[in-house]
Amino acid sequence: MFDLIVIGAGSGGLAAAKRAASAGKSVALIENDSIGGTCVTYGCVPKKLWHAISQFRHQATIATHHGWSFNAPNFNWAAVQSRLSDYVTSLNQRHEQKCLDLGIQITRGTARIASSTSIEVNGDIIQGQRILITVGGKAVRLPIPGGDLCDTSYEFFSWPHLPPSVVIWGGGYIAIELASILNALGATVDLVIRQDKILRGFDEDLRQFLQDRYADRGIRIHDKTTIASVKKAANQLTVTCENGTVITTEKVIQAVGRVPCTDSLNCDEVGIQTTQNGAIIINEQYQTSVPSIFALGDCIDQVQLTPVAIAQAREWVDLVLVNKKFPVDYTLIPTAVFSHPEAATIGKTEAEAKATLKNVSVKTLKFNPMTMALTEQHKEPIFMKLILEGDDEKVVGIHLSCDGAAEIIQSLAIAMQKGITKDDLDLTMALHPSIMEELVTIY
Ligand code: NDP
């Protein structure tokens, strides 16, 4: 009998399996796809590379204002796709090797929980004192007429060529990131969102700012509507929206959220309670309604972010297997949308702060960075917003949109974690000329 069976080798499952094995526990890891999960194989890693790859076209345009000239640049989708796929495979293999080096037993297959201490995979039974479910999530596919003609982010990563036109359905992280990548590579992009603005849940001004930047870059946003049907004729798809808009396109991507991947686990039979969308219900120790079975990461449907799943895994292993406390603070989670320009944020939005705190003040800045001074039409303004609370003006939110915003917010997260105030910013020596000197001289 193993000390621990981990079902799902994504960010949370791998972190838990490796930490438990490093602490001397015997671990069985079950996975029905590549080792690394969504983040490594179909999410963060290939997305971030596509984000970087796609920047060049815009940078090349800016460069022409800086004296450079290019012969028509040519982008080879197939070549980069193949290099990227090799890189992802190498990461999958690296994760697998690390597990093997730690003595983790890896079984390929789909696990079905057979009892409170056993699972069945490929017809075999594996027993463990504890079972940890880290099966992650999968893309929602809305059942509209022609829904089967649509792709999701999963298929995007293996498209054989860059389509000339793409309709993206949804206004969340995935929709916004894919829209930006495809637009930057030269595809015509139509975004269909049911709200009036993209990125519900982000600060209202940041949402508007980014939406305006998207429009500037030629992304067509069809707001306050949704897709009613998709039809195929020859090699084209015809998308009809509920407001009557008709769009002809080569590809449609549904990016309308993700749901926990728990269907095949046999939760009902073994008494693991789930919510209506299949999320596993847990207590504060990540324990399900079956005491020896635990769950964390995207399949509990709380915060669907890789660093959060990893932190939960470390916290859980230390708490339950090592009997030690791994302190994690989930109140300040930095997050970024890898769009062009990037949008990154930490802490409360203005609306959240005003609804939950007293004496809130807000400082907002929009400006053109010096590096864009020589360009004519291609201005890239920067958005910066500080949310302050109380007489000592504690910083409770920072919202930023500019190239490199994710890196900047990660650094500011350390200061936020330490509870900085506006005074601390005022006392910080500016670095000139830089974008972020504006943050420490804002008044
Ligand atoms: P999100 O929840 O971010 O966005 C889903 C989008 O689909 C929203 O715009 C939502 O609209 C819309 N939608 C949902 N249901 C319907 C419907 N029935 N009809 C029309 N529109 C609908 O999900 P994503 O799939 O984009 O991403 C999943 C999660 O993955 C994210 O929440 C995030 O946690 C994580 N992620 C993180 C990334 C990062 O850190 N950079 C990158 C990618 C993903 P509405 O707002 O009205 O609900």
Side-chain angles (χ1 to χ4, degrees):
M1 177 175 285
F2 286 92
D3 294 324
L4 175 65
I5 299 172
V6 179
I7 309 175
S11 303
L14 276 178
K18 289 177 188 171
R19 201 168 180 91
S22 302
K25 306 292 175 191
S26 57
V27 182
L29 178 62
I30 322 299
E31 173 58 59
N32 61 9
D33 198 334
S34 311
I35 305 293
T38 300
C39 170
V40 172
T41 318
Y42 314 104
C44 317
V45 170
K47 173 279 306 287
K48 181 75 188 268
L49 283 164
W50 275 117
H51 172 69
I53 293 159
S54 65
Q55 295 208 50
F56 177 74
R57 195 162 157 268
H58 185 67
Q59 285 167 343
T61 309
I62 305 286
T64 59
H65 297 268
H66 291 168
W68 293 92
S69 57
F70 301 91
N71 294 327
N74 182 33
F75 178 66
N76 187 335
W77 172 283
V80 81
Q81 176 76 281
S82 154
R83 286 174 69 110
L84 210 153
S85 161
D86 289 349
Y87 174 67
V88 167
T89 305
S90 76
L91 289 184
N92 296 139
Q93 287 164 348
R94 225 185 288 171
H95 280 296
E96 180 162 357
Q97 192 55 51
K98 177 76 184 164
C99 289
L100 296 174
D101 292 347
L102 285 166
I104 296 167
Q105 179 189 293
I106 298 174
T107 304
R108 301 308 186 114
T110 300
R112 188 179 148 277
I113 300 174
S115 74
S116 59
T117 53
S118 66
I119 61 147
E120 190 239 298
V121 57
N122 306 328
D124 295 328
I125 294 287
I126 301 176
Q127 294 191 314
Q129 281 190 346
R130 292 185 181 86
I131 297 172
L132 179 66
I133 305 170
T134 50
V135 289
K138 60 181 177 192
V140 169
R141 280 180 182 274
L142 293 174
I144 50 156
D148 55 320
L149 299 169
C150 304
D151 287 341
T152 67
S153 55
Y154 179 86
E155 288 83 23
F156 163 81
F157 290 114
S158 49
W159 281 354
H161 64 269
L162 172 67
S165 52
V166 184
V167 172
I168 301 180
W169 190 7
Y173 279 87
I174 293 178
I176 296 314
E177 292 183 340
L178 293 185
S180 161
I181 290 166
L182 288 162
N183 162 266
L185 290 174
T188 301
V189 178
D190 288 84
L191 195 60
V192 180
I193 58 169
R194 64 180 176 183
Q195 309 286 332
D196 63 336
K197 285 198 279 294
I198 58 174
L199 292 173
R200 182 169 62 83
F202 283 68
D203 185 84
E204 287 297 312
D205 289 336
L206 181 66
R207 293 173 73 189
Q208 188 62 59
F209 178 84
L210 197 63
Q211 184 148 317
D212 293 344
R213 297 288 71 71
Y214 269 41
D216 290 347
R217 288 200 175 191
I219 296 173
R220 295 189 294 233
I221 300 181
H222 308 272
D223 64 359
K224 294 192 242 158
T225 190
T226 194
I227 296 181
S229 69
V230 179
K231 287 196 182 113
K232 185 167 187 174
N235 283 334
Q236 294 288 301
L237 299 175
T238 304
V239 173
T240 306
C241 298
E242 273 182 2
N243 68 358
T245 302
V246 176
I247 312 161
T248 305
T249 183
E250 182 168 326
K251 290 276 190 193
V252 180
I253 298 178
Q254 289 203 20
V256 287
R258 294 175 61 83
V259 284
C261 234
T262 51
D263 319 352
S264 51
L265 286 175
N266 197 29
C267 288
D268 287 352
E269 287 261 314
V270 284
I272 300 170
Q273 285 174 4
T274 55
T275 63
Q276 225 175 1
N277 78 347
I280 295 173
I281 298 172
I282 48 145
N283 65 17
E284 65 288 346
Q285 296 203 341
Y286 303 98
Q287 190 172 39
T288 71
S289 40
V290 176
S292 55
I293 304 182
F294 299 79
L296 53 84
D298 285 6
C299 68
I300 59 172
D301 201 14
Q302 291 179 3
V303 181
Q304 296 180 22
L305 294 174
T306 290
V308 173
I310 293 172
Q312 290 172 341
R314 292 179 175 165
E315 183 188 15
W316 177 77
V317 170
D318 283 11
L319 199 69
V320 174
L321 298 182
V322 184
N323 209 10
K324 182 172 101 183
K325 202 143 174 58
F326 178 82
V328 193
D329 180 359
Y330 296 103
T331 54
L332 281 175
I333 300 175
T335 181
V337 183
F338 289 95
S339 44
H340 297 303
E342 288 176 14
T345 178
I346 181 164
K348 294 192 185 297
T349 65
E350 180 177 347
E352 279 165 358
K354 287 184 171 164
T356 55
L357 306 171
K358 290 201 178 97
N359 195 2
V360 170
S361 56
V362 175
K363 312 269 178 206
T364 307
L365 266 188
K366 273 184 224 169
F367 58 96
N368 284 312
M370 192 192 288
T371 47
M372 289 289 154
L374 307 187
T375 68
E376 282 138 31
Q377 313 92 332
H378 295 279
K379 296 293 178 204
E380 278 289 315
I382 284 171
F383 174 87
M384 200 178 274
K385 186 170 187 179
L386 266 182
I387 317 286
L388 308 168
E389 180 211 1
D391 292 338
D392 63 346
E393 295 190 304
K394 183 174 180 202
V395 180
V396 294
I398 308 178
H399 309 278
L400 186 64
S401 179
C402 62
D403 285 342
E407 303 293 345
I408 296 167
I409 286 289
Q410 176 67 89
S411 303
L412 289 171
I414 304 166
M416 289 272 293
Q417 195 68 43
K418 289 287 176 196
I420 53 160
T421 63
K422 175 75 171 55
D423 265 356
D424 295 315
L425 294 177
D426 295 342
L427 286 169
T428 302
M429 187 62 72
L431 188 160
H432 180 74
S434 69
I435 291 168
M436 292 314 289
E437 69 180 307
E438 303 296 337
L439 188 85
V440 295
T441 52
I442 204 169
Y443 59 88

